[in-house]
Amino acid sequence: MLLDHIYLKITKSDSKLSFTTTGGGNWEVWDRFISYDNEPLFHIGNICGTCAFFFTQIKTDLAGSYTVDSVRNNLANGIETISDDISNQLSAIIPEGEYECLLLEIQPYQTCYNGKRDYFKEEQNPLWDYEDETDETGGIYYRGTDRVISEHEKLFEFFIPLYPPSSLEENRVRFYQEQIREGKQPTALALAVVDAKECMTYMEIPEDGIVSHWTYANYLLDGHHKIQAAAREKKSITLLSFISKDASFKVVDTLVELYKKNN
């Protein structure tokens, strides 16, 4: 559910995060990455509109801060609107560019590659009919709510952690579990990319008619303990999602309208 939305253009940022690309074959730009200090953190897929969606974490020996200390308490307590103060302070850690910033109420559940309710195994592979490109069997991520967009299009929400649940502080997770049980909704923070991937390899239209997957991939900068707590409790928290209009597959405006319509 959409709680608030603003458009934001960041023209001056000291962020160490960036979107980077490399070429492939005859393509000057093919593969895309989220990088930190110019070192790739995540491979976030390619520009091909008919290839399958994928993400893979490259850098795992993580160091440095991916959030802003001055707003940490606000996010821990949960925000209800995207204030100018919050957006201005968080702009310091977001790469320069244009963004649609969505404050969403989400209900995440934990899964893993080749596990129960794994997108790549259960939704993607039957349609594209080839193995995903991550080679990360067992890698943990979270999913949200799937939404039918049209007769042949469907949206899938992903919340992708920098740190696996096994590395989190158990006491901190339990703290947020207690907060959530009391009805509070702490806020996680993510840098996001939206892609529209249409399969062209199927022999016939599948039974549900869906041949185009819109993938809304949120890469968590803050909120790992919160989202784990929400998944355990099977309850909702909020997410402040900075969707890059520059790195996405040109469907961001339609996505925003979809969330507004479904409110």
Side-chain angles (χ1 to χ4, degrees):
M1 181 172 69
L2 181 65
L3 304 177
D4 199 7
H5 159 248
I6 65 167
Y7 164 80
L8 186 65
K9 185 173 184 178
I10 301 175
T11 57
K12 186 177 181 181
S13 172
D14 296 324
S15 176
K16 292 186 177 183
L17 290 164
S18 61
F19 290 100
T20 56
T21 60
T22 58
N26 296 322
W27 294 82
E28 182 178 353
V29 174
W30 183 256
D31 289 298
R32 300 170 304 160
F33 304 85
I34 293 176
S35 297
Y36 185 84
D37 259 350
N38 293 317
E39 290 188 47
L41 276 175
F42 282 99
H43 188 181
I44 60 171
N46 55 43
I47 64 167
C48 174
T50 59
C51 299
F53 163 72
F54 69 92
F55 59 84
T56 195
Q57 187 169 1
I58 298 172
K59 186 175 176 61
T60 56
D61 55 334
L62 301 174
S65 174
Y66 300 91
T67 188
V68 179
D69 289 338
S70 59
V71 299
R72 194 182 300 274
N73 287 338
N74 298 79
L75 297 178
N77 293 327
I79 62 174
E80 297 179 353
T81 60
I82 309 172
S83 67
D84 290 342
D85 184 52
I86 290 287
S87 61
N88 289 338
Q89 291 187 68
L90 289 177
S91 294
I93 63 163
I94 303 297
E96 294 178 1
E98 293 185 72
Y99 295 88
E100 298 292 346
C101 304
L102 307 187
L103 180 62
L104 298 170
E105 181 178 314
I106 63 168
Q107 186 168 331
Y109 64 88
Q110 181 181 307
T111 186
C112 65
Y113 293 104
N114 290 318
K116 184 179 180 181
R117 298 179 74 182
D118 172 30
Y119 163 81
F120 301 97
K121 179 181 178 180
E122 297 187 3
E123 281 94 358
Q124 185 186 88
N125 283 354
L127 182 60
W128 268 265
D129 196 28
Y130 61 82
E131 296 298 320
D132 70 89
E133 302 179 33
T134 61
D135 294 325
E136 283 197 27
T137 299
I140 291 173
Y141 64 100
Y142 303 87
R143 290 182 62 177
T145 303
D146 303 337
R147 302 167 188 268
V148 174
I149 301 170
S150 70
E151 183 181 2
H152 299 300
E153 299 171 300
K154 192 172 186 178
L155 172 70
F156 299 86
E157 295 178 340
F158 300 91
F159 313 112
I160 302 159
L162 286 167
Y163 306 99
S166 60
S167 71
L168 302 179
E169 296 178 16
E170 182 61 24
N171 287 342
R172 194 63 178 165
V173 176
R174 290 179 179 175
F175 167 79
Y176 282 118
Q177 284 184 260
E178 184 60 34
Q179 296 290 297
I180 292 168
R181 288 190 202 114
E182 294 176 0
K184 297 178 182 177
Q185 291 185 312
T187 304
L189 172 68
L191 188 61
V193 175
V194 181
D195 288 322
K197 301 287 191 177
E198 183 172 358
C199 181
M200 303 295 289
T201 60
Y202 56 86
M203 298 301 293
E204 60 183 33
I205 293 179
E207 186 176 338
D208 64 3
I210 301 298
V211 296
S212 178
H213 288 190
W214 288 30
T215 56
Y216 179 15
N218 288 273
Y219 297 88
L220 294 175
L221 304 181
D222 180 84
H224 290 76
H225 295 88
K226 303 165 191 172
I227 203 164
Q228 174 64 197
R232 288 185 187 180
E233 294 295 318
K234 296 182 172 61
K235 292 187 177 180
S236 60
I237 58 171
T238 55
L239 174 76
L240 181 53
S241 174
F242 283 75
I243 308 174
S244 171
K245 299 192 75 170
D246 305 299
S248 296
F249 204 71
K250 313 303 179 189
V251 293
V252 179
D253 292 339
T254 306
L255 177 85
V256 172
E257 291 306 311
L258 175 69
Y259 276 98
K260 287 181 177 179
K261 181 179 178 180
N262 289 342
N263 253 16

